[in-house]
Amino acid sequence: MNILVFVRKASNFSINYIRGFFSGFIPKPAPSLSIETTNVCNSMCVFCANPVMSRKKEQLSMDEYAKAVDDFFAMGGEYLDLCTTIGDPLLDKKILDRAKYIKQNYPHFTNLGFVSTLQWLHKYDMDKFLDSGFSWVSVSTTLTGKEKYEEFFGVKKYEQAMQNLQDLLLAVRNKNKKFAVVIGIKPTGDSYDDIVNHEDFARFKDIAQFDLYEAAKQVGYYVDDWSGFVKLPDYLKKRPLYPRYFRPCKMLYGSMIVYSNGKVGVCSCRDFNADSELILGHITENTLDELWNGEQLKNLRKNWRLKNQVPNICKTCRHYIY
């Protein structure tokens, strides 16, 4: 049976890969945009490059942030988030001002959010947070006890993180807010039964907005090792290194990121030092439209697609999107 499953999956992959080889290499008129307002994070997650990141830890200035937002909407952008390559947005002291800027200047845009551990949510007034302009947050957490939480995140913030998550869920429900709280359960080596039978799971299953049992089923143990920079614990497995011959990553055709130092790139996933060939310029020196439609990015796409010149950072990336 296992052999049949493997053959079926391999066959489906091959068919989809071949089909995709001949289509999908047209850039979007305007990319999705992530703005990394800070690259500061206190956690040392077992599968994150934060411990080996060498770029300066800093916050994006409000002037640079405002220009990035203005550029994005000027070029007809439709999807924007404040997700980071490295960093927890709640450690950005201006995070509520960032949301308010969009709410006040672009009121038609109502889908703003970010990924966080929620370890620092208690530093904010809940009403101000929910009214700032954010409409969703994706929470990275574990639900199998203090020891597993602290082992995964590398910090002693278990009780605070759990309390913050509970306070947020109850506040959204009690205030009848249109605010989505997505709980992303991170892998700790525990089985599905271990997770759903734990008291942490019981604490949240009735107040979560989504089916927490389904979230537990989605816990995956195949992750990226950031091109070998991160040594993964034994229970985590490396994602397959999919072939990428003459087939550029989809990120080059659909997304951009503005880093906390103002640099602009096309990989919000793995360019943790913001110093690869995928960096296109600086937000103060160019508009996002100029960089998205500029010769440097056109050449990156063309050279990979026609000459199989794969950027170094992409050669061993297990987050490659085909």
Side-chain angles (χ1 to χ4, degrees):
M1 184 64 178
N2 289 336
I3 295 178
L4 291 176
V5 171
F6 173 80
V7 171
R8 188 180 303 117
K9 288 184 176 181
S11 177
N12 289 337
F13 168 79
S14 299
I15 292 172
N16 292 333
Y17 189 89
I18 293 171
R19 283 176 178 170
F21 188 85
F22 298 102
S23 64
F25 296 98
I26 300 175
K28 293 181 179 179
S32 61
L33 179 67
S34 294
I35 303 180
E36 182 190 77
T37 66
T38 182
N39 65 330
V40 175
C41 185
N42 63 301
S43 294
M44 297 292 175
C45 303
V46 296
F47 65 177
C48 181
N50 186 29
V52 297
M53 179 180 64
S54 60
R55 63 185 164 109
K56 179 183 176 182
K57 295 189 176 184
E58 58 188 319
Q59 294 184 6
L60 185 70
S61 75
M62 276 302 294
D63 287 343
E64 291 171 332
Y65 172 81
K67 183 178 182 301
V69 170
D70 294 343
D71 283 359
F72 173 74
F73 286 110
M75 65 188 298
E78 297 180 350
Y79 186 84
L80 167 68
D81 62 50
L82 302 191
C83 296
T84 65
T85 299
I86 302 287
D88 191 321
L90 289 177
L91 286 171
D92 173 10
K93 296 178 181 179
K94 299 179 180 179
I95 192 64
L96 299 191
D97 293 332
R98 318 278 194 185
K100 290 176 184 176
Y101 181 85
I102 293 177
K103 183 178 182 180
Q104 293 169 0
N105 293 281
Y106 303 96
H108 69 282
F109 185 80
T110 58
N111 189 32
L112 184 66
F114 57 87
V115 178
S116 172
T117 63
L118 284 197
Q119 292 171 5
W120 302 97
L121 182 62
H122 60 288
K123 296 291 186 179
Y124 298 87
D125 178 272
M126 188 66 76
D127 289 333
K128 292 181 179 179
F129 176 74
L130 292 175
D131 292 336
S132 63
F134 290 114
S135 59
W136 63 269
V137 63
S138 180
V139 183
S140 297
T141 193
T142 64
L143 294 177
T144 47
K146 179 178 180 179
E147 182 178 347
K148 289 297 182 71
Y149 184 95
E150 294 180 351
E151 179 182 308
F152 183 88
F153 288 101
V155 290
K156 298 183 181 300
K157 288 288 183 181
Y158 166 75
E159 289 88 355
Q160 190 67 70
M162 295 294 109
Q163 189 62 53
N164 288 348
L165 177 55
Q166 178 175 307
D167 290 347
L168 177 60
L169 288 169
L170 291 176
V172 171
R173 186 173 70 176
N174 293 339
K175 297 176 186 298
N176 197 27
K177 289 285 186 180
K178 291 184 178 179
F179 189 100
V181 182
V182 180
I183 300 176
I185 305 174
K186 298 305 176 186
T188 55
D190 297 296
S191 68
Y192 172 81
D193 288 340
D194 290 335
I195 296 172
V196 300
N197 290 315
H198 196 277
E199 59 184 19
D200 283 353
F201 188 90
R203 180 177 181 178
F204 295 107
K205 68 181 178 66
D206 293 328
I207 60 174
Q209 297 174 338
F210 305 96
D211 186 348
L212 208 54
Y213 288 95
E214 190 61 33
K217 292 179 182 178
Q218 300 304 316
V219 176
Y221 290 90
Y222 284 89
V223 299
D224 181 43
D225 65 349
W226 301 74
S227 296
F229 283 95
V230 175
K231 179 175 173 53
L232 300 172
D234 292 339
Y235 67 84
L236 290 179
K237 307 302 179 184
K238 296 179 184 178
R239 288 175 177 164
L241 193 62
Y242 292 115
R244 55 210 66 191
Y245 305 108
F246 300 97
R247 186 167 177 170
C249 177
K250 295 293 187 182
M251 300 287 287
L252 273 66
Y253 295 85
S255 66
M256 296 183 84
I257 179 171
V258 178
Y259 291 94
S260 59
N261 57 13
K263 290 184 178 181
V264 181
V266 286
C267 178
S268 60
C269 297
R270 291 299 174 260
D271 195 0
F272 60 90
N273 277 323
D275 61 357
S276 77
E277 310 99 303
L278 304 183
I279 297 298
L280 305 177
H282 196 281
I283 191 61
T284 61
E285 298 171 359
N286 306 94
T287 67
L288 292 181
D289 186 65
E290 289 170 344
L291 296 174
W292 182 245
N293 294 295
E295 290 302 313
Q296 182 179 346
L297 184 51
K298 287 180 180 178
N299 287 332
L300 280 169
R301 297 172 183 141
K302 181 175 66 176
N303 289 339
W304 189 341
R305 180 68 172 146
L306 301 180
K307 302 178 183 179
N308 198 37
Q309 293 180 359
V310 184
N312 289 330
I313 192 174
C314 303
K315 290 178 179 177
T316 56
C317 177
R318 297 175 184 273
H319 208 275
Y320 164 73
I321 302 174
Y322 65 88

